Amino acid sequence: MEAERTRVTVDIFGQQYRLTGHASAEHIRRVAEAVDDYMNRMARQFPRLDMPRIAVLTAVHMTDEVIRLREEAARLRQEAERRRKAEEELAEARAEIDRLLAERERLRQEMAAERQRAQEEAAQRRREADQRLAAAEADWRRMYEEREAELRREAEAREAALEQQIAELRREAEEREREAAGLRERAEAAEREAEERRNDAEQAGREAGELRGRVRQLEQKLRELQGSFERLTRERDEQAGRALRLEERIRELELAAAEAEEWRARAGALEEERRQADARAAEWAAKFEAEAGRARAEADALRGKLEAVEEQLRQAKDGAESRIAELEEAYDRLNVEHTRLKEEYAKLQNEFNEWIELIESNG
């Protein structure tokens, strides 16, 4: 180990010293020159001091510089710690940016999925509404057509039956009128015959009494004719009753016609129900449009939220990038300053160690 030590003779404050150290000879000379320069400056500043006091004052000043360098080294360590924390903050900021980017991507995917679901739901609701509307229209159209056809068939059947009944009643009335005309003719003929018989009886009464028997016979025959006339009168009354019944039947036919009119009114009511069904279908279509509008509004709101989140992410990214740039710039400055102070500290440490070794070797 002794072979590795360097011995150099140097001049410090007018005296020669033989210094031994592990550094190079040039480095030992530089240390000695620094001590000599420092002591000469102290001597110029304090000319009344002797050499021991100048050496002590030089040692005090150099020790003060060493302490300041150590404090500076501590400060550099603190700066390094702050730099480490800044790097951690930078890493956290980058992680936060990555998280925000992932959150934005997730929100974008959720927005796309929500938009897809909203579109599919709107399409499904539109299809369901169209199907319900088509089914309702088909049902109402089928019911209306069936009811209309049924009412038409019933009305036609009733009209045909009424026309047939009216035709039968007309034929019956005409037949009864013909019978009544025949009876009237027979009654008139009987009256004429009775009048003739009465005239004959009067003539027979005027002619002779022998004809009284014949007159009685004629009177008997007249009574028979009167009975026939009474029967004809009763038949006429019966024909009048039949005419009354015919009028009652006609009133029934009029009631049937009123009922047919009522069925026509019901057909109009069914038409009104069909129009109401059309109105309800239009209302369903309006409700569907309102639901589609709400779905579009929700999609727009989600889009606005996504844009707001993207804006926040952009601002956070800009702030993080600005903070990262500031931290990197501060880190670079600290790194340069740390390197410079580290070099100076190492230099002073070596000089101090060599100076201590020099003092110990000369002690």
Side-chain angles (χ1 to χ4, degrees):
M1 296 297 294
E2 290 296 332
E4 295 178 359
R5 297 173 67 86
T6 303
R7 293 179 176 82
V8 180
T9 300
V10 296
D11 186 18
I12 298 175
F13 202 63
Q15 294 184 6
Q16 289 187 348
Y17 297 90
R18 188 172 180 79
L19 301 179
T20 302
H22 297 285
S24 64
E26 181 64 26
H27 181 72
I28 294 173
R29 291 190 185 94
R30 286 170 53 201
V31 171
E33 289 175 358
V35 174
D36 181 67
D37 181 65
Y38 216 107
M39 290 182 70
N40 287 322
R41 282 190 287 114
M42 292 296 103
R44 286 192 297 271
Q45 291 179 6
F46 306 100
R48 295 183 179 182
L49 296 179
D50 55 4
M51 189 184 69
R53 291 183 179 181
I54 291 174
V56 171
L57 186 59
T58 300
V60 169
H61 280 278
M62 294 184 72
T63 303
D64 179 64
E65 289 183 0
V66 170
I67 292 172
R68 284 201 303 270
L69 288 173
R70 288 178 178 175
E71 291 176 353
E72 184 66 20
R75 187 183 66 80
L76 289 175
R77 284 193 295 270
Q78 292 177 357
E79 289 293 334
E81 182 66 21
R82 284 197 297 271
R83 183 181 64 181
R84 184 184 62 79
K85 291 182 179 180
E87 290 176 351
E88 291 178 355
E89 291 179 358
L90 179 61
E92 291 177 357
R94 288 175 178 171
E96 182 67 18
I97 290 172
D98 293 337
R99 187 187 65 79
L100 291 174
L101 291 174
E103 182 69 17
R104 183 183 66 178
E105 183 64 24
R106 185 183 64 80
L107 289 175
R108 184 180 291 108
Q109 292 177 358
E110 289 181 357
M111 180 62 185
E114 185 67 24
R115 187 184 297 111
Q116 183 67 25
R117 285 195 298 271
Q119 291 176 354
E120 292 177 356
E121 185 177 358
Q124 181 65 25
R125 289 183 179 179
R126 187 180 294 107
R127 288 193 296 270
E128 291 177 356
D130 292 338
Q131 292 175 359
R132 288 197 297 269
L133 181 60
E137 289 179 353
D139 291 339
W140 281 105
R141 187 177 295 108
R142 179 179 55 78
M143 291 174 61
Y144 174 75
E145 291 176 354
E146 291 177 355
R147 190 59 178 168
E148 185 179 9
E150 183 180 357
L151 291 174
R152 189 180 294 110
R153 288 193 298 270
E154 291 180 358
E156 291 175 354
R158 286 182 176 272
E159 288 178 358
L162 289 173
E163 289 178 357
Q164 185 177 1
Q165 290 177 1
I166 290 171
E168 291 177 357
L169 289 173
R170 284 176 180 174
R171 288 193 298 270
E172 185 177 356
E174 291 175 356
E175 185 178 355
R176 295 300 181 183
E177 287 178 358
R178 286 193 297 271
E179 290 178 358
L183 290 174
R184 282 194 297 271
E185 290 176 356
R186 288 173 62 186
E188 290 175 357
E191 288 178 356
R192 286 193 299 272
E193 185 178 359
E195 184 66 26
E196 291 175 356
R197 296 295 184 182
R198 192 179 294 111
N199 292 330
D200 291 339
E202 289 177 356
Q203 290 176 1
R206 287 191 302 266
E207 289 178 354
E210 69 269 6
L211 296 176
R212 290 177 182 171
R214 188 177 178 182
V215 170
R216 286 193 294 271
Q217 293 177 358
L218 291 173
E219 289 177 353
Q220 181 66 30
K221 191 173 183 179
L222 179 61
R223 285 193 295 272
E224 291 178 358
L225 290 173
Q226 287 178 351
S228 298
F229 178 75
E230 290 176 357
R231 285 195 302 274
L232 291 173
T233 303
R234 286 193 298 273
E235 289 179 359
R236 186 181 61 185
D237 294 336
E238 290 177 358
Q239 292 294 328
R242 289 180 180 177
L244 292 174
R245 287 194 297 275
L246 181 61
E247 291 178 357
E248 183 68 24
R249 185 62 176 171
I250 291 171
R251 283 194 295 273
E252 290 178 358
L253 292 175
E254 290 177 351
L255 291 175
E259 186 177 358
E261 186 65 27
E262 182 180 357
W263 282 108
R264 291 192 186 92
R266 290 182 181 179
L270 288 175
E271 179 66 22
E272 181 64 24
E273 290 179 359
R274 187 184 68 81
R275 286 194 294 270
Q276 292 177 0
D278 294 337
R280 285 195 294 271
E283 183 179 358
W284 290 345
K287 288 181 179 179
F288 168 74
E289 289 297 332
E291 291 179 358
R294 285 195 295 272
R296 286 192 293 271
E298 291 177 358
D300 293 336
L302 289 174
R303 189 179 297 107
K305 290 181 180 179
L306 179 60
E307 291 176 355
V309 170
E310 289 180 351
E311 180 64 21
Q312 292 177 0
L313 287 173
R314 186 185 62 78
Q315 293 177 358
K317 182 179 179 181
D318 293 340
E321 289 177 353
S322 177
R323 180 61 177 168
I324 288 169
E326 292 176 358
L327 291 173
E328 288 179 349
E329 184 178 357
Y331 175 78
D332 293 336
R333 289 196 302 269
L334 289 173
N335 195 14
V336 172
E337 185 68 18
H338 178 265
T339 302
R340 184 183 64 80
L341 292 174
K342 186 176 180 181
E343 291 176 354
E344 291 182 359
Y345 176 75
K347 179 180 177 181
L348 292 173
Q349 185 70 34
N350 291 329
E351 292 177 354
F352 179 75
N353 292 333
E354 292 175 356
W355 187 72
I356 294 299
E357 289 179 357
L358 178 62
I359 293 174
E360 289 177 352
S361 62
N362 292 324

